[in-house]
Amino acid sequence: MDLLSLTIGIIAGAAVALVAYILIHRASLKGRGEEIIEKAELEGEKIKQEKILQAKEKYLSLKSEHDRMVSERNERFREKENEFRNKESSLRDQAADLQKKQKEADSRLQSLKAREDNLQRKVEECEALQARANRQIEEIAGMSAEEAKQMLVENMKAEARSEAQAYINDTLDEARLNASKEAKRIVINTIQRTATETAIENAVTTFPIDNDEIKGRIIGREGRNIRALEAATGVEIVVDDTPDAIMLSAFDPVRREVARLALHQLVVDGRIHPARIEEVVAKVQKQLDDEILETGKRTCIDLGIHGMNIELVKLIGRMKYRSSYGQNLLQHSREVANICAIMASELGLNPKIAKRAGLLHDIGKVSDEDPDLPHALLGMKLAEQYKERPDICNAIGAHHEETEMTSLIAPIVLVGDAISGARPGARREVIESYIKRLKGMEDLAQSYEGVTKAYAIQAGRELRVIVGAEEVTDEKAASLSGEIAKKIQDEMTYPGQVKITVIRETRSVAYAK
């Protein structure tokens, strides 16, 4: 009990001491806070006075700067005002000068008007005198001025036409004297030095057989063999009553050749069934591709042409199985190549380039690319694709004048193609179209005034036109041949060239009794 009382007494004493310490410390802190507040107030007053002084200094500085700017602006305004006054004075002086000049111009204008009126009166007097003179001339001549003018114009037209036609005739005669002999010599020598064969091909190939039993084997059970063969080759096989023969019909000569060779192997082997047919056709196609390449190489070697792209060589080989109007295309191209080389040699040009262009001029006919293009332009495109020379490409594209000629080889290829195609017997035409063309040429010539008769001769290579001597003069006859030639060239299609001869004959007949 005493211990508890002692403990409580100690704790109570400690508590009293702690409370006393806290009270004393608070009183000390309060005194220090008041000192700090007083010191802060003094410091704030000092800072306030400094800021006031700084603001006064800044105000004085800005006021001084503003006064200076106002003074400078007023000075500029005074300078501008003086400048405007000077300009105003100058403008007043200029206005006075303009008024003075305007008065002088008005005075000069009045003077010019007076002179113009005087000149107009004189012009009217001159016109009256000229009209009087014209009336007197008309009375003396017995015709009006308009009639005389018309007569003079007609006479001058006739004289000018006659002189122009005479000049044209002289120019043409001179050109013919200089060029005709040399051109004829070159063309004739070229034709004579080029020996070629004529080959006519059809769209049908005849395949010979030994007996009719083979026909049955080719047809097969229910026609399965012939259907397989037609499907594999793309050729129509006609088996009819023709003895010892079967017809192979197709527009593509390469397909017909594949079918012919395949049939030959099948008949010799004796085994004819669909699987064997497909095997043999594939083998024959491979052999024919090799043969086409070999034909192209052999053609290039024969003509002495080297360094040609292999694709162009294949196209040359395919020409063997193409024809143009019945003329074998490879034979035609070889012929054109030789003609071009001879003509280039005669003209002093490079014969190798001409021969190369002549051989390639029709490669567009055997290509399967871009069928919408004409064969000449397609051939030029292929030649450019396979890096041929630009002059050779231009010669290929221009040999039917479907593009502009930019090299000297181009007209040689054009002429060589015309010589080869126009040679009698080289190409085959349908008789109806041939007769229609000749009749059209005669009708075209007879449509001209003064023509009495017209005859197409030499298989359409020449047109003879007979005119009336009373209706057509010599000058008119000379110009008429050129007009007919131009119209035929513009409106008709024909191989080679057509010679137009106008004949004017005057006959005087008298009888002695």
Side-chain angles (χ1 to χ4, degrees):
M1 191 68 180
D2 292 333
L3 180 59
L4 180 60
S5 300
L6 180 61
T7 304
I8 294 171
I10 294 171
I11 294 171
V16 170
L18 178 62
V19 170
Y21 174 77
I22 291 171
L23 292 176
I24 295 170
H25 185 67
R26 285 183 63 184
S28 174
L29 289 176
K30 183 177 180 181
R32 289 179 63 187
E34 290 175 355
E35 290 178 2
I36 291 170
I37 290 170
E38 185 178 358
K39 186 176 180 180
E41 289 177 352
L42 293 174
E43 187 71 21
E45 187 67 22
K46 182 179 179 182
I47 292 172
K48 179 180 177 182
Q49 294 298 326
E50 289 178 355
K51 292 295 181 182
I52 291 172
L53 290 176
Q54 290 178 359
K56 288 181 179 179
E57 290 177 358
K58 185 68 175 179
Y59 168 75
L60 292 175
S61 174
L62 291 174
K63 186 175 182 301
S64 175
E65 181 68 19
H66 178 264
D67 293 341
R68 183 182 62 78
M69 291 175 62
V70 169
S71 176
E72 291 178 354
R73 186 176 60 183
N74 292 337
E75 183 66 24
R76 287 198 300 272
F77 284 162
R78 284 192 292 273
E79 291 177 356
K80 290 291 183 182
E81 184 178 1
N82 293 332
E83 185 178 349
F84 288 153
R85 287 175 181 173
N86 294 332
K87 286 186 178 181
E88 183 180 3
S89 176
S90 175
L91 288 174
R92 287 199 188 99
D93 296 339
Q94 290 179 5
D97 292 340
L98 287 174
Q99 290 177 356
K100 183 177 179 182
K101 290 180 180 178
Q102 182 67 30
K103 291 179 180 179
E104 294 177 355
D106 292 340
S107 176
R108 190 176 300 171
L109 181 60
Q110 292 177 357
S111 175
L112 288 174
K113 285 184 177 180
R115 292 176 63 184
E116 183 181 2
D117 295 339
N118 188 21
L119 182 61
Q120 184 65 28
R121 286 194 299 271
K122 289 183 179 181
V123 168
E124 291 175 355
E125 292 175 1
C126 289
E127 289 178 350
L129 290 173
Q130 184 177 2
R132 191 189 311 165
N134 289 338
R135 285 194 298 272
Q136 293 177 356
I137 292 172
E138 290 175 2
E139 292 174 359
I140 296 171
M143 65 174 65
S144 65
E146 189 64 31
E147 292 173 349
K149 186 189 299 182
Q150 187 66 27
M151 182 180 294
L152 180 61
V153 169
E154 292 297 331
N155 292 336
M156 292 181 68
K157 281 184 179 179
E159 183 179 356
R161 190 181 296 112
S162 178
E163 291 180 358
Q165 188 60 49
Y167 176 76
I168 291 171
N169 291 339
D170 293 341
T171 304
L172 290 174
D173 291 340
E174 184 179 356
R176 290 190 187 99
L177 286 174
N178 294 331
S180 180
K181 290 183 180 179
E182 186 64 18
K184 287 180 180 178
R185 182 186 68 81
I186 292 173
V187 172
I188 291 172
N189 288 345
T190 300
I191 294 173
Q192 290 176 346
R193 291 167 59 184
T194 306
T196 58
E197 298 177 358
T198 301
I200 302 296
E201 296 182 358
N202 299 316
V204 176
T205 299
T206 301
F207 179 75
I209 58 176
D210 294 335
N211 52 63
D212 290 342
E213 180 187 352
I214 297 177
K215 287 185 180 180
R217 295 172 60 189
I218 291 173
I219 295 173
R221 182 180 300 175
E222 298 179 355
R224 62 174 188 172
N225 290 347
I226 195 169
R227 285 198 300 271
L229 192 57
E230 288 178 343
T233 60
V235 174
E236 181 182 2
I237 301 175
V238 181
V239 181
D240 53 16
D241 296 336
T242 305
D244 301 332
I246 291 176
M247 296 297 185
L248 308 178
S249 176
F251 72 93
D252 190 341
V254 176
R255 295 181 187 173
R256 295 204 310 272
E257 183 66 13
V258 169
R260 188 188 69 82
L261 294 176
L263 264 178
H264 177 73
Q265 290 192 19
L266 289 169
V267 170
V268 170
D269 183 58
R271 293 177 295 167
I272 304 177
H273 52 84
R276 177 63 177 166
I277 288 171
E278 293 178 0
E279 178 186 348
V280 170
V281 169
K283 181 178 178 182
V284 168
Q285 285 178 340
K286 178 64 171 59
Q287 292 174 352
L288 194 59
D289 289 341
D290 295 340
E291 183 181 346
I292 286 173
L293 180 58
E294 184 62 28
T295 300
K297 290 181 179 179
R298 188 166 58 251
T299 301
C300 293
I301 292 171
D302 292 343
L303 294 175
I305 296 174
H306 306 286
M308 188 173 291
N309 188 283
I310 191 66
E311 295 300 326
L312 290 179
V313 175
K314 290 179 181 178
L315 291 176
I316 292 170
R318 288 176 66 87
M319 290 182 184
K320 178 181 178 182
Y321 301 99
R322 290 289 188 277
S323 62
S324 178
Y325 296 98
Q327 185 180 23
N328 183 268
L329 196 56
L330 180 59
Q331 187 66 31
H332 166 65
S333 298
R334 290 173 65 109
E335 184 177 349
V336 172
N338 289 323
I339 290 172
C340 292
I342 295 170
M343 296 181 76
S345 299
E346 293 288 339
L347 295 171
L349 302 175
N350 191 330
K352 292 185 178 180
I353 295 176
K355 184 181 291 186
R356 194 182 190 101
L359 178 63
L360 295 174
H361 80 284
D362 269 347
I363 58 172
K365 289 184 177 181
V366 296
S367 174
D368 297 328
E369 298 180 8
D370 204 353
D372 294 335
L373 277 179
H375 76 273
L377 299 181
L378 179 56
M380 180 176 69
K381 178 182 174 182
L382 290 170
E384 291 173 348
Q385 179 181 345
Y386 296 121
K387 310 301 182 191
E388 287 295 322
R389 291 166 53 102
D391 49 354
I392 293 178
C393 297
N394 177 254
I396 295 171
H399 80 273
H400 284 313
E401 298 183 286
E402 291 171 332
T403 187
E404 183 182 358
M405 295 184 183
T406 59
S407 66
L408 295 175
I409 300 298
I412 294 178
V413 174
L414 184 149
V415 173
D417 181 56
I419 291 173
S420 176
R423 177 169 49 78
R427 294 187 173 182
R428 180 180 66 247
E429 290 185 278
V430 179
I431 187 66
E432 290 83 1
S433 63
Y434 168 73
I435 294 174
K436 184 177 179 181
R437 176 166 60 84
L438 299 187
K439 185 69 168 58
M441 291 171 60
E442 294 179 353
D443 293 342
L444 186 146
Q446 289 180 351
S447 66
Y448 282 85
E449 184 180 358
V451 176
T452 59
K453 294 179 182 179
Y455 300 104
I457 61 175
Q458 293 188 7
R461 301 287 192 269
E462 182 176 354
L463 180 64
R464 291 191 179 176
V465 182
I466 301 174
V467 298
E470 297 80 7
E471 302 176 7
V472 180
T473 63
D474 287 339
E475 292 80 5
K476 178 63 176 176
S479 63
L480 182 62
S481 62
E483 293 175 8
I484 294 175
K486 187 176 185 306
K487 193 167 184 180
I488 290 175
Q489 183 174 341
D490 293 341
E491 298 182 3
M492 300 190 68
T493 302
Y494 53 90
Q497 63 181 12
V498 179
K499 176 182 178 183
I500 291 86
T501 304
V502 177
I503 302 172
R504 178 180 180 271
E505 183 181 17
T506 303
R507 294 187 182 185
S508 297
V509 181
Y511 297 94
K513 297 181 180 178

